[in-house]
């Protein structure tokens, strides 16, 4: 059986919040009940999907690099419905976590803090995760949020040119593509 949808999560959360509210208020815990209900509404609002953004037909975002930031930006642009391409010089995503495979490569930030806000990982195997585990997390994130199809691997940037008349960048790769 698949994972519950965002709508199912919202309905279940609302049902649980209302039940807790009614139980607390029914037993004389009015202030706590209203506080719980207010907090529940706040977090339910965070579950709502962002509205798509209307952009011109020729609007395209180029992201340079499919590391931690590039993956995050791709996910956010997917949420907004904005067309984009990630140009990655390496043959795989992950940025520094793909490039650096030396023995003992690990994060110097506690693992629970080294997660995307939209996709927390409560199952890190250690306080300061190793390279392979972080790379798997990035690969999983890119798959889950539909970023992979937007990545073009093996693309090095040769030249970025700003056109003042059109207010647009032209990005040229080593392969001559623009």
């Amino acid at each position: 059986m698949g994972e519950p949808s965002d709508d199912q999560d919202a309905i279940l959360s609302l049902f649980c919040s209302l039940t807790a509210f009614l139980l607390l208020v029914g037993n004389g815990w009015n202030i706590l009940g209203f506080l719980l209900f207010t907090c529940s509404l706040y977090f339910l609002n965070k579950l709502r999907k962002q509205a798509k953004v209307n952009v011109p037909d020729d609007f395209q975002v180029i992201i340079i690099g499919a590391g931690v930031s590039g993956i995050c930006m791709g996910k956010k642009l997917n949420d907004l419905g904005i067309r984009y391409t990630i140009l990655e010089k390496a043959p795989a995503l992950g940025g520094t976590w793909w490039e650096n495979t030396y023995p003992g490569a690990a994060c110097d930030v506690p693992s629970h803090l080294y997660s995307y806000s939209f996709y927390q990982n409560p199952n890190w195997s250690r306080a300061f995760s190793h390279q392979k585990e972080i790379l798997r997390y990035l690969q999983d994130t890119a798959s889950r949020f539909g970023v992979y199809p937007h990545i073009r691997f093996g693309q090095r940037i040769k030249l970025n040119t700003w056109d003042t008349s059109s207010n647009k960048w032209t990005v040229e790769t080593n392969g001559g593509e623009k």
Side-chain angles (χ1 to χ4, degrees), residues 4 6-19 44 47:
D6 288 343
D7 291 338
Q8 290 171 325
D9 284 344
I11 291 168
L12 181 60
S13 296
L14 184 59
F15 175 75
C16 291
S17 298
L18 285 172
T19 302
L44 280 172
L47 285 176

Side-chain angles (χ1 to χ4, degrees), residues 7-175:
D7 291 338
Q8 290 171 325
D9 284 344
I11 291 168
L12 181 60
S13 296
L14 184 59
F15 175 75
C16 291
S17 298
L18 285 172
T19 302
F21 168 77
L22 292 172
L23 287 171
L24 287 169
V25 170
N27 288 306
W29 294 77
N30 295 339
I31 294 173
L32 187 58
F34 283 108
L35 180 64
L36 173 74
F37 189 68
T38 303
C39 289
S40 298
L41 290 178
Y42 170 78
F43 287 110
L44 280 172
N45 188 43
K46 291 184 108 161
L47 285 176
R48 282 188 357 201
K49 292 183 178 177
Q50 291 180 322
K52 302 291 182 183
V53 176
N54 290 325
V55 296
D57 290 338
D58 66 341
F59 187 80
Q60 169 85 19
V61 174
I62 299 293
I63 300 168
I64 300 174
V68 174
S69 297
I71 294 166
C72 181
M73 189 67 183
K75 188 271 187 203
K76 295 296 183 177
L77 290 172
N78 278 342
D79 290 349
L80 296 172
I82 295 176
R83 290 182 311 121
Y84 70 95
T85 301
I86 300 176
L87 300 176
E88 171 56 52
K89 67 180 179 181
L93 69 70
T96 194
W97 299 110
W98 183 84
E99 297 277 347
N100 295 299
T101 58
Y102 56 86
C107 189
D108 59 355
V109 173
S111 299
H112 67 281
L113 297 175
Y114 204 73
S115 297
Y116 296 113
S117 62
F118 56 85
Y119 189 47
Q120 295 288 309
N121 181 7
N123 301 314
W124 291 110
S125 65
R126 52 192 312 126
F128 296 90
S129 294
H130 287 157
Q131 173 267 341
K132 286 182 182 177
E133 185 174 14
I134 295 169
L135 182 59
R136 277 192 307 271
Y137 170 71
L138 296 175
Q139 292 165 338
D140 182 49
T141 303
S143 292
R144 177 177 290 260
F145 295 102
V147 175
Y148 263 111
H150 299 272
I151 304 172
R152 294 186 48 215
F153 296 105
Q155 301 294 315
R156 289 188 177 272
I157 306 304
K158 177 181 176 182
L159 183 65
N160 291 319
T161 308
W162 177 253
D163 182 351
T164 55
S165 63
S166 67
N167 291 326
K168 293 181 182 178
W169 285 98
T170 299
V171 179
E172 184 178 348
T173 65
N174 274 350

